[in-house]
Amino acid sequence: MRLFNIILKDIRDKVKYYIKTFGCQMNVYDSQRIAHILQNMGHTAADAPADADIIIFNTCHIREKAAEKLFSDLGRINLIKEERQAAGKETIIGVVGCVVQAEDEQIAKRAPFVNFATGPLTYYRIPEILGKIAQQKNICLIDTEFTSESKFDHLPQNRAEGGCSYLAIQEGCNNFCTYCIVPYTRGVETSRPVEEVLKEARRLVETGTLEINLLGQNVNAYHGEDAAGRERDLAHLLRRLAEIDGLQRLRYTTSYPADVNDDLIACHRDLKKLMPYLHLPLQSGSDRILKAMNRRHNRGQYLEIIAKLRDANPELGFSSDFIVGFPGETDQDFEATLDMVEQVGYIQAFSFKYSRRAGTPAAVYPDQIDEKVKSERLNILQEKLFSQQLNFNKGCIGRIMPVLFESKGRKKGQLFGRTPYMQNLHARVPAELINRILPVRVTDATANSLGGTVIQQSD
Ligand code: SAH
Ligand code: SF4
Ligand code: F3S
């Protein structure tokens, strides 16, 4: 009971928390906001779970493996809980995120030692939940109700954790791609009002942010209200954000190809702050499969959007997500994907074997593809994507690029930063230059990272 008493007694600085994050950037953003909630309660971050009084897992449900791994990870955390208990220390284990929304009953059944579980839209209630736990030991509180309230109305003010910040502007998805669990875990699509986003962005810049990455499951479907109650799109928001003094870089992710409009394309021509890198998931290069996936774009439309974007800004580099082995995918369909990769030329990409998600339409489609075939196709695709990425990176050798240094690098004396194209770059830079954008001459390249030297401004 010690921890619970500590909470009640208000000796709050003794309580430490540890948050482990799985999944996409939206979860990273949510974890930062949960940290802010806990910090506002007076709690501080622990370096390791064994030192933490509150351990929170922020979970992802996108593929089966990710969800299954959660239960083995939770098992390990329970061992830590037991060890701490033997040493007279209580531990609260919380699970948040997308798995909770889909598998709340499983969590209660398979991991009864979990003290609370709350979905991605309701974690703002954590202080209330911790209050209830303080009064009643060994309960498992599950809170997965979709609410009409916006979590953003209840969260503390955001603040920068470094030079790059995520800012969620849109959440949920109405697209219902037939393979995807997200519409069921994050709910229907909602957009935050324009002024609210601007306020959060200004605050991030005031506290040290140089780069903002706008987030949404379908970010370019953004349709937030402005001060006059008028619906505004992502292009409008980007233009307003670009006016913020001190903000140097803007990005947005993830975009849905069919929702790229002409104004958004024009932003890539007009806005210097908008980085020349766009993640535009294609998923498959076969029109037949795209249809079965319920994607609202085909090959021709996708290529047309890419051409228009390149016309607006010839420097643009593209990345994509791909799924191989969707039910019914033939060799010919897969060849069509390889052909699209060839035609577009990606500078980065993420590719996955199709994973059956219970409750989604494709999970019960006939013609599920053999795991071996999926693996073979994934290897072939990844080899092709790898060589495109390597070629692009090698082509950067000799170029001078502005790099935002974010953190310490792997080796001593090195910092880690990102180029405008989101490439990882390591360079020997003094640690006090973290959170600065410096010109770097690229000297070497692998498929996954670049090396370089900071040049004097007068070079
Ligand atoms: N909203 C984004 C991506 C969300 S999920 C979009 O529409 O592109 C991130 C990626 O996971 C997807 O782009 C897709 O490639 C992959 N993914 C989603 N569901 C999957 C599944 N059931 N099996 C394999 N990959 C999946
Ligand atoms: Fe999932 Fe499709 Fe929505 Fe992306 S657009 S989150 S893949 S349903
Ligand atoms: Fe995973 Fe949820 Fe993101 S399922 S990919 S954490 S929206």
Side-chain angles (χ1 to χ4, degrees), residues 2 26 30 44 57 74 85 105 154 170 195 221-222 225 267 272 275 298 326 368 389 403 418 430:
R2 210 172 64 89
M26 190 70 94
D30 287 339
T44 54
F57 274 30
L74 277 176
Q85 197 148 25
E105 283 172 19
H154 300 274
Q170 178 278 336
E195 291 304 324
Y222 176 82
E225 274 190 8
C267 286
K272 286 224 154 40
M275 291 292 99
N298 59 28
F326 184 82
Q368 297 285 328
Q389 193 169 326
V403 173
R418 293 217 200 238

Side-chain angles (χ1 to χ4, degrees), residues 373-435:
V373 175
K374 285 187 202 170
S375 299
E376 280 164 13
R377 289 181 185 162
L378 189 66
N379 282 342
I380 296 168
L381 176 62
Q382 288 189 336
E383 210 168 287
K384 197 170 180 71
L385 292 167
F386 178 90
S387 81
Q388 287 191 341
Q389 193 169 326
L390 181 64
N391 281 345
F392 179 74
N393 285 355
K394 290 241 186 251
C396 292
I397 293 177
R399 278 176 75 168
I400 294 169
M401 289 181 162
V403 173
L404 198 170
F405 286 100
E406 290 178 26
S407 59
K408 288 196 172 153
R410 271 185 307 259
K411 291 189 192 146
K412 217 175 156 212
Q414 266 191 349
L415 291 189
F416 164 83
R418 293 217 200 238
T419 70
Y421 292 104
M422 285 292 259
Q423 293 149 301
N424 301 333
L425 185 139
H426 289 88
R428 289 189 71 80
V429 187
E432 57 271 20
L433 296 181
I434 284 183
N435 296 338

Side-chain angles (χ1 to χ4, degrees), residues 196-304:
E196 189 181 308
V197 173
L198 291 173
K199 189 170 162 223
E200 187 168 329
R202 283 190 211 106
R203 163 96 178 148
L204 287 170
V205 173
E206 279 159 20
T207 50
T209 288
L210 301 173
E211 171 178 313
I212 291 181
N213 195 340
L214 303 175
L215 298 183
Q217 266 83 36
N218 184 1
V219 74
N220 57 331
Y222 176 82
H223 57 98
E225 274 190 8
D226 68 9
R230 207 171 132 192
E231 257 189 25
R232 297 294 198 162
D233 63 6
L234 179 61
H236 172 87
L237 188 66
L238 285 168
R239 288 181 194 277
R240 299 281 304 276
L241 286 163
E243 288 167 5
I244 297 177
D245 282 339
L247 179 62
Q248 307 213 19
R249 290 176 162 193
L250 270 169
R251 304 179 187 275
Y252 61 93
T253 199
T254 295
S255 296
Y256 188 77
D259 292 328
V260 175
N261 65 18
D262 288 344
D263 280 351
L264 187 57
I265 293 173
C267 286
H268 285 277
R269 181 193 61 212
D270 302 338
L271 301 179
K272 286 224 154 40
K273 291 183 181 180
L274 190 56
M275 291 292 99
Y277 169 84
L278 185 58
H279 184 59
L280 198 60
L282 172 63
Q283 311 297 357
S284 165
S286 154
D287 282 347
R288 207 177 62 81
I289 295 295
L290 286 171
K291 204 158 178 229
M293 286 176 162
N294 192 32
R295 300 283 291 183
R296 287 184 282 114
H297 59 88
N298 59 28
R299 288 167 66 93
Q301 287 159 339
Y302 186 88
L303 288 171
E304 206 176 301

Side-chain angles (χ1 to χ4, degrees), residues 22-27 59-62 98 181-182 185-186 217:
F22 303 83
C24 64
Q25 292 104 326
M26 190 70 94
N27 263 13
T59 60
C60 173
H61 203 51
I62 201 79
C98 291
I181 198 81
V182 171
T185 65
R186 293 265 173 183
Q217 266 83 36

